[in-house]
Amino acid sequence: MEAEVDKLELMKNPVTLLKELSAIKSRYQTLYARFKPVAVDQKETKSRVCATVNKTMNVIQKLQKQTDLELSPLTKEEKTAAEQFKSHMPDL
């Protein structure tokens, strides 16, 4: 009940509402500044992983052609793992 009264007071008092909005904006900016570098690093790491996987797949395909060998079909577990990996890495 007390929380509802506080909300009503906020709605009635525009100055208090503006102060609350300012505080929320400040918290958002602080969190954004803290987590922005993490998001950038995550994106860069994902790109490097995708590039490495693509290069590895190309090397495997070239080796298969050079040696006239093919890999045995993937097991059910390997297929599941590959599908899960691809769902998290659509760039592949």
Side-chain angles (χ1 to χ4, degrees):
M1 171 109 173
E2 188 176 324
E4 291 176 12
V5 171
D6 289 341
K7 287 179 186 178
L8 280 173
E9 287 176 5
L10 280 177
M11 286 193 274
K12 289 180 183 177
N13 188 344
V15 174
T16 306
L17 184 59
L18 287 174
K19 287 179 183 177
E20 279 294 313
L21 285 174
S22 179
I24 291 169
K25 181 180 176 183
S26 176
R27 279 183 267 162
Y28 170 80
Q29 288 172 335
T30 300
L31 288 172
Y32 181 82
R34 185 183 302 169
F35 290 107
K36 177 68 174 169
V38 173
V40 169
D41 288 347
Q42 184 180 23
K43 188 174 182 179
E44 290 172 359
T45 300
K46 182 179 173 183
S47 292
R48 285 194 295 269
V49 167
C50 286
T52 301
V53 169
N54 280 329
K55 287 178 186 177
T56 302
M57 290 173 71
N58 287 335
V59 168
I60 290 170
Q61 289 173 350
K62 286 179 184 177
L63 287 172
Q64 286 175 332
K65 287 179 183 176
Q66 289 175 355
T67 59
D68 289 329
L69 293 176
E70 289 189 26
L71 294 176
S72 57
L74 296 177
T75 65
K76 185 177 181 180
E77 292 82 15
E78 291 170 332
K79 286 180 184 177
T80 302
E83 289 169 5
Q84 288 175 347
F85 184 75
K86 286 180 182 179
S87 72
H88 292 290
M89 301 288 203
D91 298 337
L92 290 179

